[in-house]
Amino acid sequence: MILYLLIIIGSIVLDQLTKIIVVQNLDLYETTIKNPIFSITHIRNEGGAWSIFEGHMWFFLLVGVIALCIFSYLLYKNRYNNKWLTVGLSFVIGGTVGNFIDRFRQGYVVDMFQTEFMKFPIFNVADICLVIGVICIFIYILFFDEETNNK
């Protein structure tokens, strides 16, 4: 269980630390480290990916609380089941909390990482944790979940 708590806490701390560094060192919409693959741009996102549901903070706070309850329950219930599942759930919880803190405190999420080689929403460490978590959960479902694989 220690590993999963370390993943959750580490995800939250790394997310919040990178956001603090960006806010303290870049003006809003300022870009740095620009190259053909990647850049860092300080933005505020009041919505989800591609700014969907922009301005509906209550929606994201509600979904965040519901997601935290569900994923925390699943993590507790499956903590000894499979590492792919529990690591995935831990990353999802850490990413959810990281963005929830921003939305609750400020009403928006600080995003900074921008891909230059394709049009993709600007994202942050919490978003990366969410994606890693979902990938781990998919690996569990595809290769280790007996219910899914016995159908």
Side-chain angles (χ1 to χ4, degrees), residues 25 38-39 65 83 98 125 146:
N25 292 291
F38 169 82
S39 65
V65 168
K83 287 209 185 294
V125 171
E146 292 178 14

Side-chain angles (χ1 to χ4, degrees), residues 13-26:
V13 168
L14 185 60
D15 175 66
Q16 293 298 301
L17 186 60
T18 56
K19 290 172 179 175
I20 289 168
I21 291 168
V22 165
V23 168
Q24 289 180 348
N25 292 291
L26 293 176

Side-chain angles (χ1 to χ4, degrees), residues 59-91:
F59 172 77
F60 291 103
L61 291 175
L62 179 64
V63 168
V65 168
I66 292 169
L68 283 173
C69 291
I70 292 169
F71 290 122
S72 296
Y73 169 76
L74 289 172
L75 178 62
Y76 177 77
K77 181 180 171 206
N78 295 293
R79 65 191 179 278
Y80 303 114
N81 188 11
N82 181 283
K83 287 209 185 294
W84 284 102
L85 177 61
T86 49
V87 166
L89 291 169
S90 299
F91 273 113

Side-chain angles (χ1 to χ4, degrees), residues 21-22 25-27 29-42 112-114 116:
I21 291 168
V22 165
N25 292 291
L26 293 176
D27 292 330
Y29 305 114
E30 183 180 354
T31 299
T32 187
I33 309 178
K34 188 167 180 125
N35 62 54
I37 298 172
F38 169 82
S39 65
I40 296 178
T41 302
H42 175 195
M112 73 279 302
F113 302 118
Q114 184 171 9
E116 296 294 332

